[in-house]
Amino acid sequence: MGEIADPVQLKDEGNKHFQAGEIDKAIECYTKAIKFSKDKKALAVIYRNRSACFLKKENYNNAVSDATKAIDVDAADIKALYRRCQALEKLGKLDMAFKDVQRCATLEPKNKTFLETLRRLGAEIQQKLKTTFSTDSRVQNMFDILFADESDKEKQEKAANNLIVLAREDAGAERIFQNNGVPLLVQLIDTGKPDMILAAIRTLSGMCTGHRARKITFKVVQMKFLAMHITNQKLSFNIFTVGNKILKVCGQVPDLPDQLPLTENTQLIASVLLNKVYDDLRCDPERDNFRDICDEYIKSKFDPNDMDKNIHAINTLSGLLQGPFDVGNVLAGRQGVMEMMVALCGSEREVDQLVAVEALIHASTKTSKASFFISNGVTLLKDMYKKTKNEKIKIRALVGLCKLGSAGGDDYSMRQFAEGSTEKLAKQCRKWLCNPTLDVRTRKWAVEGLAYLTNDADVKDDFIDDEAAMRAMFELTKSKDKTILYAVACTLVNCTNSYDKKEIIPEMVQLAKFSKQHVPEQHPKDKKDFIVRRVKKILKAGVTSALTVMVKADNYVLTDQTKEMLARVFLALADDIKDRGTIVAQGGGKALIPLALEGTDNGKIKASHALAKIAAVSNPEIAFPGERIYEVVRPLVSLLNTERDGLENFEALLGLTNLAALNDKLRVKILKEKALPEIENYMFEEHDQIRQAATECMCNLVCCKEVQDRYLEDGNDKLKLLILLCGEDDVQLQRAAAGALAMLTAAQKKLAVKITKVTEQWLEIIQRLCIHDNPEIQHRGLVTVFNMLDADEQLAKKLIECELLEILTFVAKLEDNPKKQDAINAARACLSRALDGGLIKPFSN
């Protein structure tokens, strides 16, 4: 018997099998019918029927596919629509299923099945949205995507970035921590995939910022991360077990064969980790033990017959000198180390000389402590600088000399080199910096040299006048090697003179001279006008854009000390009000926020002050776009305490005033940060400008219910102070106080009555406001009078029976005047209110 080729017959056969529960046979018949069918409408019916079979078999993807083919022929095919809805629901695509059943309900509005499904799916979608947007679900979602083998790379990158952002918020970090986040992050590290490892470490870094308990976990995981560069074996996290392995990372020399695979920043991370481990040791025996481990490791590498092992030992010493310097400095003085340095410097191999000179440079970082190296290394550096023709070695030798030459800081009387020598060294550094044919690492050393030489004001001025060199330095901040950031930050701090300066008291200078003590001298080019000129030139060269790039670097490179230096530079740049627009336009406002929230206490204060300067004179919505504007509040509030100086208090108050003027959400944020008591205290301040700024800020906050309640409370002088400030001679202060009083009395009628009870001078002050020469102050006074008339009949009667009626009548009778119209209208409103209350009679002609 031949195969049936009639699609109608095959379809009918399929229907019989379906009704008999023989689903597989039904699918077979429908599939053959599709093969032979030529009619579109008949084909749509067969697809719809096969879709029902796939639903029964729980093959939901095929069910969706067949139903869709039927709908493509007839968009109103209600059976196909509902079957696709059922399949989509099973696949978890509730929004798409909802659309299908919504279409079904539109076609058959009385069908109870469709209406019930519509209601149920709607409720499920709402619940799903609620769950999706909860933090716990988001965390789990991100991990699911990161661990899924079939996830596309773009999706994984987005999940990784979202996890990092979430970890930087305290609430988000806590949810990751509580939801088994740390073991999951360790699993990400164990995948061995560079992107996953980086995402995990960044997330951990965000979680641990400012949280002591979580930092312990981070240290453990960070050591595991470093150890992965060394071995795949599972390690104990005891610091002394891992110590040798971290030292091995420090000692790697990329130019030699058979070295571990490293990134540009791996060895710096290893040095930072060693420093962190050393700092966290609790007692001297532990520190001695740590030092002995390092000593044994370095000694074990010295081998007269193997130069590669020797340079590994010296490179490890360099790593210690960049990390726990005191340990490195002690080991540098051990017998045989300087002899090895001499041998490496005299070697014909470039790599030997490079390692030796870099060790000498790191050893001379702290001139007060590195006495052994300084006394022995200067000759070596000078010889290498003069004799070598290799640019890479020459530049490193020069940087070492630069470090030694800058030992006197900006003290003009403590110059280490002869007149003009530092300028020559700096000129050579600038030449190397601007040479694009040199590799990034070599040019980085040129910036290192400038970081030290710019302690000299002559060098600062020469560098600032060389715009090409400045731009070359800024361009280097965008390179992958982020170890350059510290040197760039140092150079900028020096050029802007934004480092701390000791106050020179004339009496102490005389006393020092009398006792033949050293007296620091200021370089003539470190005076105010020279500094201002340098700041303007740096801004013109595009420093703000470079700073914003630097701020985005990872925390292990952008150390707290580097952040503090960047904050100092920003503060120096924002000193002139005319330059703040340029800083905002180049993204400086946004870049300052993380500096104000993380880092050293001093750095956070400097960044907060720079933010205050910008917020005080700029449109906050432009300077800090989007949700970032709410992050500005806390840094500004942090400046409202007695430990901060008057200028910081004043500019923070101005910034908060601007923010409070924008919307209720910002006003509530200011109150949540507990700024209100501090603002109230500054309203009592003797300094006129600070008192005025605090009153203006309060004027913008009084529309908040919480503030009004504080004024309603008994037993305080808040309302009395506000009334007395309205009577001050300072026009700006009067304006702010009168505005606050007008808004308070409009919002709370009880306050309008309370005015009469807090001070006997209230009526005199109110009358003075109503006849003030300043139309704005006059208007605010008249609005307050209207609010008092509206608040209480007895009070209204008292106001109308005094001289205030004459004032109101006089102002109300004035001819319309655009400059005074608000005040005139307010006076007329007062009279109208008195008229309505029967307190006065209408005017007669």
Side-chain angles (χ1 to χ4, degrees):
M1 185 178 174
E3 186 179 353
I4 300 171
D6 182 359
V8 176
Q9 191 178 347
L10 284 166
K11 183 195 77 170
D12 292 340
E13 284 289 324
N15 292 347
K16 287 176 185 176
H17 287 305
F18 182 81
Q19 288 164 5
E22 298 168 342
I23 307 301
D24 289 333
K25 289 181 179 179
I27 291 173
E28 188 181 338
C29 288
Y30 292 139
T31 304
K32 289 177 182 177
I34 289 167
K35 182 180 176 183
F36 294 115
S37 182
K38 304 296 181 185
D39 182 77
K40 277 190 177 181
K41 288 186 178 180
L43 198 58
V45 173
I46 299 167
Y47 274 123
R48 182 181 72 196
N49 290 357
R50 194 172 68 167
S51 175
C53 293
F54 285 133
L55 267 175
K56 290 282 186 183
K57 295 287 288 180
E58 299 183 2
N59 188 338
Y60 301 119
N61 284 314
N62 283 349
V64 169
S65 177
D66 276 5
T68 301
K69 287 170 183 172
I71 294 164
D72 287 343
V73 175
D74 181 6
D77 188 336
I78 204 161
K79 288 184 179 179
L81 282 165
Y82 191 64
R83 281 169 192 165
R84 189 169 70 175
C85 161
Q86 290 174 300
L88 287 167
E89 182 184 357
K90 293 294 184 181
L91 290 169
K93 299 177 180 179
L94 299 184
D95 51 342
M96 295 169 71
F98 184 82
K99 287 179 183 177
D100 280 349
V101 77
Q102 196 174 40
R103 177 73 177 143
C104 291
T106 305
L107 294 168
E108 289 187 17
K110 294 182 181 180
N111 188 310
K112 290 182 180 179
T113 302
F114 296 160
L115 293 173
E116 174 57 26
T117 306
L118 191 65
R119 184 201 62 74
R120 180 172 50 76
L121 286 177
E124 286 180 18
I125 287 169
Q126 289 300 318
Q127 184 58 39
K128 186 180 178 183
L129 285 171
K130 188 176 178 182
T131 307
T132 302
F133 285 107
S134 70
T135 306
D136 290 357
S137 174
R138 284 166 63 201
V139 170
Q140 191 56 52
N141 240 358
M142 291 167 203
F143 278 118
D144 288 345
I145 293 168
L146 289 171
F147 284 118
D149 292 331
E150 66 275 7
S151 283
D152 59 75
K153 194 172 181 183
E154 189 177 335
K155 228 176 182 181
Q156 287 189 324
E157 280 181 9
K158 190 175 180 182
N161 288 333
N162 287 341
L163 204 60
I164 293 162
V165 170
L166 195 64
R168 288 173 181 164
E169 302 167 6
D170 194 53
E174 187 59 27
R175 294 323 305 154
I176 296 171
F177 195 77
Q178 295 295 338
N179 281 276
N180 203 35
V182 174
L184 289 171
L185 289 167
V186 172
Q187 283 182 43
L188 277 183
I189 293 172
D190 286 338
T191 62
K193 297 176 183 176
D195 291 345
M196 295 298 103
I197 294 169
L198 189 59
I201 295 298
R202 283 177 170 172
T203 303
L204 282 163
S205 175
M207 286 170 64
C208 300
T209 301
H211 197 288
R212 199 171 284 177
R214 292 199 293 259
K215 276 183 182 176
I216 297 167
T217 306
F218 180 49
K219 185 167 71 177
V220 168
V221 178
Q222 192 178 29
M223 283 192 279
K224 179 178 176 68
F225 170 59
L226 285 166
M228 282 181 62
H229 286 280
I230 304 155
T231 178
N232 290 324
Q233 296 174 356
K234 291 192 174 180
L235 303 169
S236 161
F237 286 121
N238 183 296
I239 57 170
F240 302 114
T241 306
V242 180
N244 284 349
K245 299 182 184 298
I246 302 172
L247 290 168
K248 183 176 180 180
V249 175
C250 283
Q252 296 301 293
V253 182
D255 295 332
L256 292 180
D258 302 323
Q259 299 296 293
L260 299 172
L262 308 175
T263 68
E264 293 90 342
N265 303 316
T266 305
Q267 285 171 294
L268 176 64
I269 301 168
S271 295
V272 171
L273 179 57
L274 286 170
N275 190 55
K276 180 64 179 167
V277 170
Y278 185 70
D279 284 347
D280 287 351
L281 296 177
R282 292 165 294 182
C283 56
D284 287 342
E286 284 188 0
R287 282 185 276 273
D288 291 342
N289 196 5
F290 180 88
R291 191 164 49 246
D292 291 343
I293 287 171
C294 297
D295 193 14
E296 286 300 319
Y297 181 84
I298 290 173
K299 282 196 292 188
S300 71
K301 296 299 173 186
F302 282 137
D303 185 344
N305 302 315
D306 190 340
M307 194 60 83
D308 286 359
K309 289 182 73 175
N310 291 330
I311 63 173
H312 179 86
I314 298 300
N315 214 34
T316 304
L317 182 62
S318 282
L320 287 166
L321 290 165
Q322 292 176 82
F325 182 86
D326 291 340
V327 175
N329 194 35
V330 169
L331 301 185
R334 295 278 195 260
Q335 185 178 358
V337 174
M338 182 50 71
E339 290 80 356
M340 183 55 64
M341 291 280 193
V342 173
L344 290 174
C345 288
S347 170
E348 293 182 2
R349 285 202 312 177
E350 178 186 301
V351 65
D352 297 343
Q353 295 179 50
L354 285 173
V355 168
V357 74
E358 286 185 18
L360 288 167
I361 291 166
H362 297 311
S364 57
T365 297
K366 297 183 181 179
T367 51
S368 60
K369 293 186 178 181
S371 53
F372 179 84
F373 258 81
I374 290 167
S375 58
N376 293 276
V378 174
T379 307
L380 283 174
L381 289 170
K382 282 184 177 179
D383 286 346
M384 292 181 80
Y385 181 70
K386 289 175 183 176
K387 294 174 182 178
T388 186
K389 293 181 180 179
N390 187 311
E391 294 277 80
K392 291 181 180 180
I393 297 166
K394 200 177 188 72
I395 194 169
R396 287 162 171 77
L398 179 141
V399 170
L401 292 170
C402 291
K403 284 192 175 187
L404 299 175
S406 64
D410 66 345
D411 184 352
Y412 187 47
S413 63
M414 290 281 286
R415 284 188 161 197
Q416 302 295 302
F417 296 149
E419 188 77 34
S421 296
T422 50
E423 289 95 310
K424 286 179 183 176
L425 289 173
K427 186 176 179 180
Q428 186 60 53
C429 282
R430 298 202 312 272
K431 181 181 173 184
W432 279 320
L433 179 59
C434 294
N435 186 351
T437 61
L438 293 175
D439 60 274
V440 170
R441 195 176 176 192
T442 303
R443 292 165 72 201
K444 181 189 83 171
W445 284 107
V447 181
E448 288 270 1
L450 289 169
Y452 289 93
L453 291 173
T454 47
N455 277 305
D456 187 306
D458 287 319
V459 173
K460 296 178 198 180
D461 258 31
D462 290 344
F463 180 57
I464 295 306
D465 288 333
D466 188 346
E467 190 170 323
M470 276 197 292
R471 289 186 183 277
M473 182 176 77
F474 298 157
E475 197 61 34
L476 279 179
T477 62
K478 300 173 186 176
S479 68
K480 288 183 180 179
D481 185 357
K482 297 300 179 184
T483 58
I484 196 172
L485 300 186
Y486 185 82
V488 174
C490 282
T491 305
L492 291 172
V493 164
N494 290 339
C495 290
T496 55
N497 283 54
S498 48
Y499 42 77
D500 287 329
K501 306 168 192 70
K502 290 182 180 178
E503 186 181 356
I504 298 175
I505 303 167
E507 292 81 1
M508 294 302 293
V509 171
Q510 293 302 319
L511 186 63
K513 286 180 178 177
F514 180 76
S515 58
K516 296 183 180 179
Q517 297 292 317
H518 170 70
V519 180
E521 291 180 24
Q522 185 186 44
H523 194 292
K525 289 185 179 179
D526 273 332
K527 291 181 179 175
K528 181 71 176 175
D529 52 342
F530 283 94
I531 297 170
V532 170
R533 186 185 81 88
R534 289 199 290 267
V535 167
K536 299 287 183 188
K537 287 211 164 192
I538 289 172
L539 272 168
K540 186 182 175 185
V543 68
T544 309
S545 298
L547 290 171
T548 57
V549 170
M550 293 167 75
V551 169
K552 292 174 184 175
D554 293 320
N555 278 346
Y556 62 79
V557 176
L558 194 67
T559 61
D560 287 350
Q561 289 72 25
T562 309
K563 288 177 188 174
E564 180 179 330
M565 288 193 287
L566 296 181
R568 288 175 178 277
V569 175
F570 265 122
L571 183 57
L573 298 176
D575 190 55
D576 189 339
I577 193 171
K578 295 174 186 174
D579 295 328
R580 294 174 199 172
T582 304
I583 295 170
V584 168
Q586 295 177 3
K590 291 182 288 185
L592 271 167
I593 295 172
L595 296 179
L597 297 173
E598 299 174 1
T600 65
D601 289 340
N602 206 13
K604 289 190 284 189
I605 291 165
K606 301 290 182 188
S608 298
H609 192 190
L611 275 175
K613 284 180 178 290
I614 290 170
V617 298
S618 307
N619 180 343
E621 291 175 307
I622 295 173
F624 319 108
E627 294 298 305
R628 289 184 176 274
I629 195 168
Y630 300 100
E631 297 179 56
V632 179
V633 174
R634 183 175 296 173
L636 298 192
V637 173
S638 72
L639 297 177
L640 302 183
N641 67 64
T642 51
E643 292 181 7
R644 307 275 63 82
D645 64 41
L647 183 60
E648 290 169 340
N649 299 155
F650 173 66
E651 290 182 319
L653 287 165
L654 290 183
L656 288 169
T657 302
N658 266 354
L659 293 173
L662 291 177
N663 58 54
D664 280 332
K665 194 174 175 182
L666 273 167
R667 288 189 280 272
V668 169
K669 176 70 174 171
I670 291 169
L671 298 180
K672 278 186 177 177
E673 293 295 339
K674 300 179 181 176
L676 193 56
E678 301 298 338
I679 295 167
E680 288 171 343
N681 289 338
Y682 285 115
M683 289 173 70
F684 288 93
E685 176 68 46
E686 291 183 9
H687 192 288
D688 291 341
Q689 286 181 301
I690 293 177
R691 184 171 51 168
Q692 174 200 319
T695 309
E696 286 178 347
C697 191
M698 184 60 72
C699 181
N700 287 345
L701 289 172
V702 291
C703 49
C704 289
K705 182 72 166 56
E706 185 181 329
V707 180
Q708 295 163 15
D709 290 343
R710 286 174 74 91
Y711 277 90
L712 281 167
E713 289 171 3
D714 293 326
N716 66 63
D717 292 330
K718 293 179 176 62
L719 189 60
K720 180 180 179 180
L721 173 64
L722 205 57
I723 296 165
L724 293 175
L725 291 176
C726 288
E728 291 285 330
D729 294 330
D730 186 306
V731 172
Q732 294 300 322
L733 181 59
Q734 269 188 304
R735 175 180 167 278
L741 195 61
M743 284 193 282
L744 281 170
T745 51
Q748 298 285 346
K749 290 187 177 183
K750 289 181 181 178
L751 286 173
V753 178
K754 190 178 178 182
I755 285 176
T756 63
K757 300 174 184 176
V758 294
T759 174
E760 294 177 358
Q761 298 170 269
W762 70 270
L763 186 56
E764 179 190 342
I765 291 170
I766 295 291
Q767 287 175 342
R768 282 179 59 191
L769 291 177
C770 293
I771 59 172
H772 204 284
D773 293 337
N774 185 302
E776 208 171 351
I777 294 173
Q778 185 182 32
H779 172 240
R780 295 177 182 205
L782 289 164
V783 169
T784 303
V785 171
F786 177 85
N787 295 336
M788 295 173 78
L789 289 169
D790 196 46
D792 182 81
E793 286 186 20
Q794 292 299 318
L795 176 57
K797 189 176 179 184
K798 186 174 182 179
L799 289 171
I800 292 301
E801 288 175 353
C802 69
E803 295 174 358
L804 197 57
L805 178 60
E806 293 179 33
I807 296 170
L808 293 173
T809 306
F810 173 77
V811 177
K813 284 185 174 182
L814 291 173
E815 291 183 7
D816 287 353
N817 181 339
K819 292 183 179 179
K820 292 190 173 185
Q821 198 59 47
D822 287 340
I824 295 168
N825 290 342
R828 290 172 183 171
C830 288
L831 292 176
S832 179
R833 181 69 188 81
L835 188 64
D836 292 342
L839 299 174
I840 59 173
K841 294 180 181 179
F843 290 118
S844 59
N845 291 328

